[in-house]
Amino acid sequence: MEKKLSFSQVLAIGFMLFAMFLGAGNVIFAPMVGQQAGTNIWIAMGGFLITGVGLVLLAIIALTRGGGTVEKLTERVHPVFATIFSILLFLCLGPIYVIPRTTSVVYEIAIHPLIETKSNGSLYLFIFSVIFIVLTILLSWNTTKFVDRLGKIITPIFAILLLLLIGKSIFTPMGKIGQPQGEYIQSVDAFLKGFVQGYYTMDVLAAFVFGGIFIKSISSLGIKSEKEVSKLFIKAGIVTIIGLVGLQVSMAWIGASSVDAIGFRENGGEVLAQGSKVLFGQIGIYIIGTIIFLTGITTNVACLAAVSEYFERIIPSISYKIWLILFSILSLIITNFGLNKILTLASPILLLLYPLAIALIVLIFTNNLFKGHQSVYIGTMIGVGFVAILDALKDGIIAPEAIYSIFGFIPLIENGAGWIITGLIGFLIGLIVAKSRKEPSTMINIAG
């Protein structure tokens, strides 16, 4: 007989999933959107919430419909694509980018301001990163403890601190919302800029990554059938979405109302650190430091566990715990290159992977309309991937002028959304090919 979970257990699982998503990226990008968008904040955040939050729930639902893991979902395109996309995705969400970025952001916001001397910064970063990553290993060691450790302990603590910070910013705001800046001046541009900025939370990609570790975690609670796992995953996803919407809007508000008090800042970490100090005085540094530390550790635990679980699946001769250690060492090495170098890797990777992930979600939801023909998946991915590669290249400062000169005729390419048009063209070509070849249908059962 299938075990039924109580409401409190479902809520705890929802908090666990929320904690897995809630990392440094969730609290440092929206404040910058708020500062730059000014009075266009709600237009910009409309775009931001679509890619940074709304698509997360769709990704979770798509994952449950597509087989429960990112490998099964991407195999609908082609096994080779599935392997390449999955490996890039897990490495990006793990030791190559997210774990080093998170560790560095935690150091810069929570630790660095407390160090009186600014010398030997590299040594302090090394010492902190070793301690932080060892703690990540310990919390990731047994995934069956995720619900207790993340959902019942860590999440409520930083949730209370976040509510304290947000409440203070609402009842005693730092200043008035200013005028929009740069690319946020025009409403359409503000929406598209916010849309692309939502990529940087990495939450849609994280949804694909966390699927396997989530299923493994809740199986310890006696939930075994795929149907019940899918239902629980979606319920937890709804809790997560509600939390993320509230968080992102609040972070954007803090950024938008902070300009009078702290001026324009280079990154969201500075906005939050200086804003917290204005709101609470010196103790504000400790409040934001604790928030960033806790959000950082939950992100690292989730990502390290997920990438290790994935590589254990594809290379079972090496155990989960060995992968934990190997990826932790790699993360430690990359972390100590410094935050600036780590961040320079982010944008091109995201501009490549995010459009492909969004296209996969759309294809899963429309699968039965085009009868799941593989040619449609392939055509769409080629169309999307072509412009995504161009966006990644020009963002990486590789021949941007030549790319604009040659491919500037593609609508929305200057706004980072040209892949939508080429993806639609690829979809139509794939559909024509599928009909001409009389490809077999691959329907998805969405009942129940």
Side-chain angles (χ1 to χ4, degrees), residues 107-359:
Y107 171 78
E108 291 293 337
I109 297 178
I111 305 300
H112 194 254
L114 303 178
I115 300 173
E116 293 183 4
T117 175
K118 301 302 179 183
S119 61
N120 297 321
S122 297
L123 177 61
Y124 286 120
L125 173 60
F126 175 74
I127 294 172
F128 169 77
S129 60
V130 169
I131 295 171
F132 197 70
I133 289 178
V134 167
L135 179 59
T136 301
I137 295 174
L138 293 176
L139 290 173
S140 307
W141 201 252
N142 187 349
T143 56
T144 61
K145 301 296 184 181
F146 266 29
V147 172
D148 287 333
R149 290 172 176 169
L150 298 189
K152 295 181 180 179
I153 301 174
I154 296 179
T155 307
I157 293 174
F158 70 64
I160 291 170
L161 293 175
L162 270 175
L163 288 174
L164 184 65
L165 177 65
I166 293 166
K168 178 70 171 172
S169 73
I170 293 173
F171 290 109
T172 59
M174 289 178 276
K176 296 180 180 179
I177 297 177
Q179 295 300 308
Q181 307 292 313
E183 296 178 79
Y184 291 95
I185 294 175
Q186 300 297 323
S187 297
V188 174
D189 291 339
F191 179 85
L192 291 173
K193 181 67 174 178
F195 186 90
V196 174
Q197 286 296 303
Y199 292 179
Y200 293 88
T201 66
M202 301 188 77
D203 284 343
V204 169
L205 301 182
F208 289 144
V209 167
F210 293 157
I213 196 67
F214 179 88
I215 292 168
K216 187 175 180 180
S217 297
I218 63 175
S219 65
S220 65
L221 300 176
I223 307 300
K224 303 297 182 182
S225 77
E226 289 187 8
K227 182 179 178 181
E228 290 302 317
V229 167
S230 295
K231 286 184 177 180
L232 187 56
F233 198 8
I234 293 171
K235 288 178 182 178
I238 292 172
V239 173
T240 298
I241 297 311
I242 293 171
L244 288 177
V245 168
L247 173 73
Q248 299 294 12
V249 170
S250 300
M251 292 296 101
W253 159 254
I254 289 175
S257 61
S258 69
V259 178
D260 287 345
I262 66 174
F264 290 101
R265 295 288 168 167
E266 292 185 2
N267 60 68
E270 289 186 17
V271 174
L272 290 177
Q274 296 302 316
S276 297
K277 191 173 182 180
V278 170
L279 290 169
F280 290 100
Q282 188 65 24
I283 195 174
I285 295 177
Y286 297 98
I287 292 175
I288 193 62
T290 303
I291 291 171
I292 294 297
F293 183 89
L294 292 176
T295 57
I297 198 66
T298 56
T299 296
N300 271 13
V301 168
C303 289
L304 181 60
V307 71
S308 300
E309 188 271 340
Y310 169 72
F311 275 87
E312 183 190 34
R313 285 206 309 270
I314 64 173
I315 309 177
S317 59
I318 301 177
S319 71
Y320 168 83
K321 293 179 179 178
I322 296 298
W323 282 120
L324 274 183
I325 295 171
L326 292 175
F327 287 133
S328 296
I329 293 172
L330 179 57
S331 300
L332 180 63
I333 293 171
I334 296 176
T335 297
N336 283 273
F337 283 123
L339 181 58
N340 289 337
K341 290 185 179 179
I342 295 169
L343 291 177
T344 58
L345 298 174
S347 193
I349 296 173
L350 292 176
L351 289 173
L352 173 62
L353 292 180
Y354 233 90
L356 293 172
I358 294 173

Side-chain angles (χ1 to χ4, degrees), residues 75-125:
E75 279 175 358
R76 290 178 173 272
V77 182
H78 193 276
V80 174
F81 173 84
T83 300
I84 295 173
F85 182 86
S86 299
I87 289 175
L88 286 176
L89 178 65
F90 278 93
L91 288 177
C92 180
L93 268 290
I96 299 298
Y97 175 61
V98 170
I99 295 175
R101 182 195 71 174
T102 301
T103 305
S104 298
V105 167
V106 173
Y107 171 78
E108 291 293 337
I109 297 178
I111 305 300
H112 194 254
L114 303 178
I115 300 173
E116 293 183 4
T117 175
K118 301 302 179 183
S119 61
N120 297 321
S122 297
L123 177 61
Y124 286 120
L125 173 60

Side-chain angles (χ1 to χ4, degrees), residues 62-77:
L63 200 63
T64 62
R65 290 184 177 184
T69 65
V70 67
E71 307 99 285
K72 291 181 180 178
L73 190 153
T74 50
E75 279 175 358
R76 290 178 173 272
V77 182

